[in-house]
């Protein structure tokens, strides 16, 4: 067996402790599979005194993650602190400069600084691996860079944030409004310290930006994602969607067309009978469509100690075996900036609003839609109060531009009592 592969771990939260446990519990298995003993030399975290349920006294301690990243007895620097910039970025840059291989779970850092870090790592001849940054324990990065390397990827679509999926499925199963389930999820520790990263779709969009870069050979372009969170999805929307055979999911979609790269992360309706429609709780699912393989669907836990630590150790094992790949599947210097585009392909849409309860209100809305070239597939009016009447419309396939024209015209009808909620109906 070769010389040991020595790890330095920065960040001893749930995932970091999970990595320590795997290294200890599966030492013989890891050695048999990689041909090298894998050990931990040193660790770093904000507090030395915190009880983490694991004895760490056998490892050297560094208060400064940059110092950890550059230690002589560290071969692979594992960054599990998180954060777009600050100590995470500084320590990863220091590790690369010092000739260390790097494994990270930091999706935000890669989505914003991935191109620069990839170029630095490849110039230094070191690995920068990040399976744990996207979809927890699902090996979607490996699938794209290795297993599906013979495909021209045509589309990626997925549910990539378990917290949002938990909220939406819990709203449906318990019949609770968004605010109640949000508070419940926050109390259970399911949300980030800044919950907007989850419910605003930002966390999931970071993941989509990374997958897009690999799939389509472009530079990571987080700012090019059309982004909308789940805050405006109501229990009524969920019930209405269910009535029509759909479920609401925070859905990421990326596809490259002749016009450029389309990336969007937003609530959509999907068929209730589809794999994504049946996805419950905190589970993630990513579907990859390619010209040779057609469609591959990957499903699994999107977060948590075991799944995310498993992904980290998958990367460590590849480094131990000597596997070297470009960070985004192709040399970083050859990646081109994506030409941004929005979807021009027609799709059906779900539209919910409230109308002033007076004669002819519904007819005015139907007329406005027709004049914009939007035809109605289904229309339902629900119980009303003394002044307003909720109405639900499902369109036939139309472009978003035509629908936006109709929505603008609705403002001038004098019958709209609430801002319309519009959700795309996606085929998956």
């Amino acid at each position: 067996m070769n010389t040991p592969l020595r790890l330095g771990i920065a960040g001893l939260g749930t995932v970091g402790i999970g990595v320590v446990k795997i290294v200890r519990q599966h030492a013989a298995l890891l050695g048999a599979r990689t041909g090298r003993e894998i050990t931990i030399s040193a660790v770093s975290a904000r507090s030395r005194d915190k009880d983490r349920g694991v004895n760490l006294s056998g490892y050297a301690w560094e208060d400064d993650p940059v110092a950890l990243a550059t230690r002589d007895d560290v071969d692979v620097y594992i960054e599990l602190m998180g954060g777009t910039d600050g100590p995470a970025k500084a320590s990863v840059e220091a590790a690369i400069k010092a000739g260390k291989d790097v494994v990270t779970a930091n999706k935000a850092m890669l989505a914003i600084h991935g191109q620069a870090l990839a170029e630095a790592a490849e110039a230094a001849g070191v690995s920068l691996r990040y399976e744990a940054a996207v979809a927890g324990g699902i090996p979607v990065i490996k699938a794209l860079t290795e297993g599906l390397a013979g495909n021209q990827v045509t589309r990626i679509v997925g549910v990539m944030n378990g917290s949002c999926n938990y909220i939406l499925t819990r709203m449906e199963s318990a019949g609770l409004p968004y605010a109640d389930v949000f508070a419940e999820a926050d109390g259970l520790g399911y949300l980030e310290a800044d919950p907007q990263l989850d419910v605003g779709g930002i966390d999931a969009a970071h993941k989509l930006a990374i997958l897009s870069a690999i799939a389509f050979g472009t530079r990571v372009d987080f700012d090019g994602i059309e982004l909308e969170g789940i805050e405006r999805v109501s229990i009524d929307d969920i019930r209405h969607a269910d009535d029509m055979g759909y479920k609401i999911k925070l859905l990421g979609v990326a596809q490259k067309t002749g016009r450029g790269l389309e990336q969007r992360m937003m609530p959509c309706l999907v068929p209730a009978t589809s794999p994504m429609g049946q996805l419950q709780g905190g589970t993630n699912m990513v579907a990859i469509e390619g010209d040779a393989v057609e469609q591959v669907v990957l499903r699994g836990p999107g977060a948590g100690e075991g799944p995310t630590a498993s992904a980290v150790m998958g990367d460590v094992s590849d480094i131990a075996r000597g596997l070297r790949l470009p960070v985004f599947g192709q040399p970083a210097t050859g990646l081109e900036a994506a030409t941004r585009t929005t979807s021009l392909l027609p799709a059906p849409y779900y539209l919910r609003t409230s109308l002033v309860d007076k004669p002819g209100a519904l007819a005015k809305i139907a007329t406005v839609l027709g004049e914009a070239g939007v035809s109605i597939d289904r229309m339902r009016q629900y119980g009303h109060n003394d002044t307003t009447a909720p109405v639900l419309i499902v369109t036939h396939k139309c472009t978003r531009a035509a629908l936006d024209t109709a929505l603008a015209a609705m403002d001038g009808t004098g019958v709209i009592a609430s801002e319309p909620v519009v959700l795309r109906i996606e085929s998956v």
Side-chain angles (χ1 to χ4, degrees), residues 168 228-230 232-234 237-238 241 247-249 266-270 347-352 392-395 400 403 407 420-426:
L168 293 172
E228 180 183 339
I230 65 170
R232 294 187 64 211
V233 176
S234 73
D237 291 321
I238 289 174
K247 303 294 182 183
I248 299 178
K249 302 293 179 185
M266 57 185 59
C268 294
L269 273 65
V270 299
Y349 285 87
Y350 162 101
L351 170 63
R352 175 180 60 83
L392 170 66
I393 296 169
V394 174
T395 75
R400 182 59 199 246
L403 186 58
L407 292 171
V421 171
V422 178
L423 301 175
R424 184 183 174 103
I425 300 176
E426 194 72 46

Side-chain angles (χ1 to χ4, degrees), residues 372-394:
V374 178
S375 64
I376 297 172
D377 179 24
R378 283 174 279 176
M379 179 184 292
R380 295 182 184 176
Q381 192 163 2
Y382 291 83
H384 56 81
N385 57 34
D386 293 337
T387 58
T388 62
V391 63
L392 170 66
I393 296 169
V394 174

